[in-house]
Amino acid sequence: MPTSPIWASRSKTRGLVLDLIRARTISRVELAAATGLTGATISEVVRELMGDGLVVEAGRGAPTGGKPRTLVQLNPLARYSVGVQLERNTCVIVVVDLAGRPVARTSFQGVASMPPEQALPLVAAQVDALLATAAVDRDKVLGVGLVSYGPQDRRAGVLLTPQPTDQWLRHPVAGRLAESLGLPVLLDNDAAAAAIGEYWMGAVDPRSTYGCIYMATGIGGGVVVAGEVYRGSSSNSVEIGHISIDVHGDQCSCGNVGCLENYAGPTALVRQAMATPGLAQRLALDPASADFLTEFARIAAAANAGDPAARSLVEQSARYIGCAAVTMASLFDVDTIVLAGPSFAVAGSIYQTVIQQEVDRRTFTKRAHPVRVVPSVNGSDAAAIGGAVLVLQSELTLAHSRPEDGTRPVPAATGEAP
């Protein structure tokens, strides 16, 4: 049924108010001042949010010369969501409360060797087990944010890439997982999810424009503008892992040539380490292993420990990624670039230092404003937590606002969050 403009406006107002309450304990008077809405409208919206259990009163504020104001705050235990990072070498599942705080986590070997018909039931079983272990009421679970690499068709809930095998191409991953779990599943890009997680956790200025470089097995990117992910025309934006850093380079499986990921990503560094005399033997790298994250972690740890050959490889990777960071800053005029993902977890300080140097030296806007390079507050779980946050964000939109008949709908089992 089409949404009326009046109801859409009500939903937007509800979302705005709830987002302000989520950010801090606040009074109705302060909400009215922050939104420009009337006191009567604020009271009505807050009463509705309290009726849904999303908001509770939190005592009174400090006296200001008159009657102390009643404060309201988010009720974190009112709802939960699940984030699933589906990766080739590792999978991470988190359960978060309505404030975005993790309450449970698990991880297991990735799906590189599994067809989707085998991998998705395994993921579903892990989600079920985690919810049971955390004693989370499933009636309070809004849904699952399934985040993975791209390209994707988010509306259809399918991956548009034959990775890790041809069987994954156009397989309805979101729909199949939703059927197994009996919960709504929203598919999204891992880097975009990691980026929005920073906003939700209060790590960046909510008014800022910032970028995120996400590195797991591959390299991705995301940009957030005033709390909203920049999507582009098909939600496959900011794929910095596939920008050319060598126009004469080898052809990538994406169709481009000289892609950043093939020079600076973990797989590339493992390959380079194997070709460095003595390094593979010294670090006990396994040439037959397909677990590139584990092999890369050994190189990164050696770089941290001062191994000159390993550090040279990591610093070279960081300079390449610094080039991509400069491109991101020039295209989107960001004021912060967040480094997120498991591959930044071990040698993050090296990457942060080198990338910051490249950004300081080469960014077009350096005379207008600085660009900070910072680590993610969510660490190696940034994508999974961000996936759960994307589901929480749907609580602020029409999908989880209460229709005229008082019922509370849920998102479709597949596809894009409203």
Side-chain angles (χ1 to χ4, degrees):
M1 179 180 297
T3 302
S4 72
I6 294 176
W7 176 240
S9 177
R10 282 181 55 190
S11 174
K12 185 176 181 180
T13 298
R14 173 189 164 104
L16 175 62
V17 172
L18 184 55
D19 199 32
L20 288 169
I21 297 172
R22 177 190 66 80
R24 65 186 177 98
T25 301
I26 192 171
S27 70
R28 291 168 177 82
V29 173
E30 290 171 312
L31 285 169
T35 61
L37 299 169
T38 66
T41 298
I42 290 295
S43 294
E44 179 183 353
V45 172
V46 170
R47 188 163 49 247
E48 178 183 310
L49 293 172
M50 292 180 67
D52 285 347
L54 303 177
V55 170
V56 294
E57 290 189 341
R60 296 185 179 276
T64 57
K67 180 181 178 181
R69 297 166 180 171
T70 300
L71 303 176
V72 293
Q73 67 181 19
L74 195 70
N75 178 13
L77 305 183
R79 304 283 189 274
Y80 297 87
S81 68
V82 179
V84 176
Q85 176 204 1
L86 187 68
E87 232 275 342
R88 282 159 281 198
N89 288 150
T90 186
C91 291
V92 175
I93 302 175
V94 297
V95 179
V96 306
D97 63 19
L98 189 57
R101 300 178 306 200
V103 298
R105 176 196 186 275
T106 190
S107 64
F108 54 99
Q109 188 173 1
V111 299
S113 62
M114 299 182 189
E117 293 83 357
Q118 179 184 355
L120 295 173
L122 171 61
V123 171
Q126 294 279 357
V127 171
D128 286 334
L130 190 61
L131 289 173
T133 300
V136 170
D137 183 351
R138 287 181 79 99
D139 289 340
K140 292 184 177 181
V141 179
L142 297 173
V144 177
L146 176 65
V147 298
S148 192
Y149 41 82
Q152 305 172 350
D153 183 337
R154 293 176 65 234
R155 291 186 180 277
V158 303
L159 301 177
L160 301 179
T161 176
Q163 296 183 55
T165 65
D166 290 345
Q167 294 164 297
W168 288 86
L169 176 62
R170 296 193 178 277
H171 188 84
V173 291
R176 292 290 184 266
L177 187 58
E179 290 170 3
S180 296
L181 288 170
L183 291 169
V185 175
L186 305 177
L187 177 66
D188 214 314
N189 180 272
D190 48 14
I196 200 62
E198 299 296 306
Y199 167 81
W200 191 272
M201 300 303 289
V204 294
D205 186 326
R207 300 162 297 181
S208 69
T209 297
Y210 66 93
C212 177
I213 298 177
Y214 181 81
M215 188 160 71
T217 304
I219 302 174
V223 168
V224 175
V225 182
E228 295 289 336
V229 176
Y230 174 76
R231 293 292 185 183
S233 61
S234 69
S235 294
N236 287 294
S237 60
V238 202
E239 281 289 352
I240 64 168
H242 293 282
I243 62 172
S244 290
I245 59 172
D246 181 359
V247 295
H248 302 294
D250 294 337
Q251 184 164 14
C252 179
S253 60
C254 75
N256 197 8
V257 296
C259 288
L260 170 70
E261 192 172 287
N262 296 330
Y263 291 80
T267 303
L269 258 72
V270 171
R271 185 177 64 248
Q272 293 160 13
M274 292 292 183
T276 301
L279 184 58
Q281 293 79 8
R282 192 160 64 248
L283 303 185
L285 300 181
D286 182 1
S289 175
D291 185 356
F292 296 106
L293 288 183
T294 297
E295 301 299 295
F296 171 78
R298 292 178 180 174
I299 300 169
N304 280 338
D307 185 295
R311 189 174 184 96
S312 176
L313 291 178
V314 171
E315 288 181 343
Q316 177 178 270
S317 166
R319 283 192 293 274
Y320 281 132
I321 296 176
C323 176
V326 170
T327 299
M328 175 184 282
S330 297
L331 287 175
F332 296 99
D333 195 19
V334 300
D335 49 36
T336 304
I337 294 176
V338 179
L339 306 182
S343 292
F344 284 127
V346 183
S349 61
I350 299 175
Y351 278 99
Q352 182 181 354
T353 298
V354 174
I355 294 170
Q356 184 72 70
Q357 290 171 350
E358 293 297 304
V359 167
D360 290 344
R361 183 170 62 89
R362 300 169 55 188
T363 300
F364 179 76
T365 57
K366 59 180 176 288
R367 292 187 180 87
H369 64 84
V371 177
R372 297 185 307 128
V373 179
V374 299
S376 167
V377 297
N378 294 316
S380 60
D381 292 345
I385 293 173
V389 162
L390 286 166
V391 175
L392 292 179
Q393 276 202 321
S394 69
E395 182 67 49
L396 309 181
T397 68
L398 188 62
H400 287 302
S401 296
R402 196 166 48 192
E404 302 294 346
D405 63 2
T407 61
R408 184 175 171 277
V410 295
T414 64
E416 189 170 7

